[in-house]
Amino acid sequence: MPTQECSTTDCGRPAAFATRSEPAWCLDCIDNLVRAGGLEPAEPFTKPSTWRLTTCRTCGVQAHYRLEYIIGNNAAGIATCRACHWKAWRGNRGPRPGATLDRGKITRRLDEFGYELIDPLDEVSDDGDGPLVAKCRRCGRIRAARMGDFGWRCNCSRNTRSSNPASPRPGRLLLSESDSPALQWWDHERNDEATFRTVTVRATRACQWRCPECGRRFEAKVSAMAERPTCPDCSARRHAEWKSEYAQWQTTPVAEVPELAAAWADDADPREVMVAGSWKLRRFRCPNGHQPRISPLTFMSSGCPHCRGAKTAAAKKWLADTSPEIAGQWHPTLNGKHSPQNVVWDSQRMVWWRADCCGHEWQDTVRARDKYQRLRCPACRTFLGSLAWDDPGLAAEWSPANPLTAWNVRPHTSTPFVPEWICATNPGHTWQAPLSSRSNGAECPDCREAGKSRVELAHHAAAEELFGNARSGVAMKDKAFTTRKSWTTDISVSVNEHTLVIEYDGAYWHSAPAKVLVDERKSRDLLAAGCLVVRLREDDLPTLGIDHPRYREVRAHSTVARPGPVMEDIRDWVTDLTA
């Protein structure tokens, strides 16, 4: 139940939702805010982030709007209804000469964009400017917009990435554990210790800072300071100093600056050309023989652009290294000499692609593949970064009864339904669980209740007797994990400041292809986190094919278990490895 009071003065009723720092209102006040925007609620309020169906009190058009959007328009004195807005805009602009209404053409175009036509709203609408009312076939959201705006598709079909693939942002990295220069600016006197220990480098919270240069205290967002700490006073002072310095360069000839005079290769007299103040480009010669045409001030401050370009080229992010999923769809025969290994990840080059799911072939730029909808296949409407790509072992347990496939959901996305799962070990086990809980390591509840096998328990007892600190069922988390955020280990031991993980792979539970894939991904994640990994593969289970100095597979037999000698062998291997 919400405990926050309504933000309307003298209301006093409990708010319909709770927030940390933003205002909240009761249901009656929320409806009054909607009416203040010229709309009438057509369905009950649920939460601020949802699209709520409303009816315009002027034109009667029904459409969905978010509460935040309505409040923003109210503050700006703008009516919210987009149907009224676009009809007025079209009326002021006038119809395009020769344009005619073609409902069939409009319907086909909207269908291509994933919408169903409700009302053209205008006598002329197929020229791309006329206002339309249409409903998204996928989520049911109704909106009023121009035809060209529908081409961007509904927000529900967007598949935005969280960061730039070439320079990914850190996850929940604590500021106190980072190497950000903002740590020297943190004001410990005006910020409490709890905030310092819990705030992340991407937090938008405003905190107190102290400039280490001038001592000025000020308030700024953590994310901005973690990226580039700046002081308002020092920035203003440096700007004033630069303006004064620039004025001096405007009266200083090139001949009086030794580094410019030595590189001068222009026909003009360097004694008559000023370092700054002129738009005209001049010829210079760098030590490497390049002769760029560039302004004297830019050459003095940045050097030769050709030399800088060579350094940039050496640090290029190739598609194969930055976006392996997209690179895997590169057409093998239609792109000539170009390949994912010699094309940058955000190239504007038009190339051929081939979908491995259905064989569909199409042309698109490399950069466009990673924007907006970020589709893996435009024919199948599957998208990049899906559960099927990131965690195929978990995707193998995704039930076909779910309304979406594993290629249409992210590993940690919030779905409008609770997904159903089918256990890869025992297909008779079916259950429902949120995507995030499964991606965080939750397993089949029936299998988990069955407990550990007798042989696995015997190996854990032997490890505890030999190492003294063996633990069972420990959930491990590490930033190096790429498949899941958390893995539950069978046996974990601390040996010589190293973490040894021993996994027992029973033939019955680990023979399914999905489980084999999970075992491989789990082992690679643990190795990436710096662990020593030993897998006890039972009977005739095939090897996982992992070649790593800190990885070992030991053959275990369920009928003739030898936990004591097996653990002694593992101890000797670890001792030699960590000596």
Side-chain angles (χ1 to χ4, degrees), residues 15-131:
F17 59 95
T19 64
R20 291 185 178 181
S21 57
E22 299 296 326
W25 299 271
C26 65
L27 292 175
D28 290 341
C29 291
I30 289 174
D31 288 347
N32 290 335
L33 290 171
V34 174
R35 294 186 181 99
L39 306 173
E40 187 67 31
E43 64 183 10
F45 174 83
T46 53
K47 55 184 180 180
S49 60
T50 57
W51 297 92
R52 188 182 186 187
L53 185 64
T54 62
T55 304
C56 178
R57 302 171 73 179
T58 302
C59 67
V61 170
Q62 285 195 328
H64 288 88
Y65 300 99
R66 280 182 172 152
L67 178 62
E68 182 182 4
Y69 181 74
I70 296 174
I71 294 173
N73 284 339
N74 291 351
I78 302 173
T80 298
C81 178
R82 294 292 87 190
C84 292
H85 170 81
W86 290 120
K87 283 193 290 187
W89 176 85
R90 181 56 181 269
N92 295 331
R93 198 163 176 261
R96 190 177 67 177
T100 58
L101 176 64
D102 188 340
R103 183 179 288 268
K105 179 179 178 181
I106 295 171
T107 302
R108 288 191 298 271
R109 292 185 65 186
L110 286 175
D111 184 68
E112 179 184 349
F113 301 146
Y115 284 93
E116 176 184 347
L117 177 65
I118 295 179
D119 189 355
L121 288 181
D122 201 302
E123 294 183 356
V124 182
S125 298
D126 66 329
D127 58 356
D129 291 333

Side-chain angles (χ1 to χ4, degrees), residues 256-550:
E256 295 183 8
V257 183
E259 58 267 34
L260 292 181
W264 187 258
D266 200 79
D267 295 334
D269 188 348
R271 294 169 298 180
E272 298 179 359
V273 178
M274 301 299 119
V275 176
S278 174
W279 57 269
K280 192 171 184 179
L281 303 181
R282 303 294 181 176
R283 180 79 67 184
F284 288 89
R285 181 182 293 107
C286 80
N288 292 324
H290 302 135
Q291 295 189 24
R293 294 183 64 85
I294 191 173
S295 70
L297 183 62
T298 304
F299 186 83
M300 182 179 65
S301 60
S302 303
C304 173
H306 299 295
C307 296
R308 285 189 286 110
K311 293 181 180 180
T312 302
K316 282 183 177 179
K317 304 291 185 180
W318 305 114
L319 177 64
D321 302 324
T322 307
S323 304
E325 184 177 7
I326 297 177
Q329 296 184 297
W330 190 271
H331 201 288
T333 60
L334 299 182
N335 292 314
K337 62 180 182 180
H338 301 294
S339 70
Q341 287 74 27
N342 59 23
V343 173
V344 293
W345 71 275
D346 59 346
S347 171
Q348 294 278 32
R349 183 182 301 278
M350 185 70 69
V351 297
W352 280 94
W353 308 92
R354 186 168 68 183
D356 49 2
C357 55
C358 63
H360 176 64
E361 298 179 353
W362 77 101
Q363 277 187 300
D364 206 347
T365 66
V366 179
R367 183 176 182 179
R369 288 296 315 278
D370 202 30
K371 294 179 66 177
Y372 308 123
Q373 297 182 86
R374 302 182 66 244
L375 293 176
R376 180 180 176 88
C377 175
C380 301
R381 307 299 298 176
T382 55
F383 58 68
L384 301 170
S386 64
L387 174 68
W389 165 262
D390 283 345
D391 196 344
L394 182 58
E397 296 187 323
W398 182 267
S399 172
N402 292 319
L404 297 176
T405 70
W407 290 101
N408 295 103
V409 293
R410 296 193 194 93
H412 295 276
T413 192
S414 176
T415 57
F417 59 93
V418 180
E420 182 180 275
W421 307 89
I422 300 176
C423 179
T425 302
N426 187 344
H429 296 165
T430 61
W431 75 104
Q432 288 184 317
L435 256 173
S436 57
S437 67
R438 291 302 322 273
S439 295
N440 284 334
E443 297 289 351
C444 171
D446 294 319
C447 296
R448 186 174 63 248
E449 291 175 359
K452 297 180 179 297
S453 66
R454 176 183 55 81
V455 180
E456 181 179 343
L457 292 174
H459 281 87
H460 173 256
E464 191 172 21
E465 180 180 356
L466 187 62
F467 294 102
N469 61 357
R471 301 177 61 191
S472 176
V474 175
M476 295 184 59
K477 293 183 178 181
D478 196 279
K479 299 176 183 177
F481 290 175
T482 58
T483 302
R484 302 185 186 178
K485 289 186 176 181
S486 173
W487 289 105
T488 301
T489 57
D490 291 343
I491 304 172
S492 59
V493 184
S494 179
V495 182
N496 298 334
E497 299 183 352
H498 291 82
T499 299
L500 168 65
V501 176
I502 303 173
E503 293 287 303
Y504 187 84
D505 301 339
Y508 177 80
W509 301 99
H510 292 261
S511 59
K515 288 296 184 182
V516 172
L517 193 55
V518 169
D519 291 341
E520 178 188 354
R521 293 293 182 95
K522 182 177 183 178
S523 301
R524 294 191 185 280
D525 272 0
L526 292 170
L527 290 170
C531 299
L532 310 175
V533 180
V534 176
R535 301 205 75 101
L536 307 180
R537 304 285 285 173
E538 188 180 89
D539 297 339
D540 57 349
L541 283 177
T543 179
L544 298 181
I546 299 176
D547 184 13
H548 196 284
R550 286 186 279 105

Side-chain angles (χ1 to χ4, degrees), residues 185 211 214 216-219 230-237:
W185 295 61
C211 177
C214 68
R216 161 75 185 277
R217 282 186 160 96
F218 59 97
E219 184 179 82
T230 56
C231 168
D233 287 356
C234 293
S235 296
R237 175 176 52 80

Side-chain angles (χ1 to χ4, degrees), residues 145 205 265 379 385 530:
R205 186 190 314 180

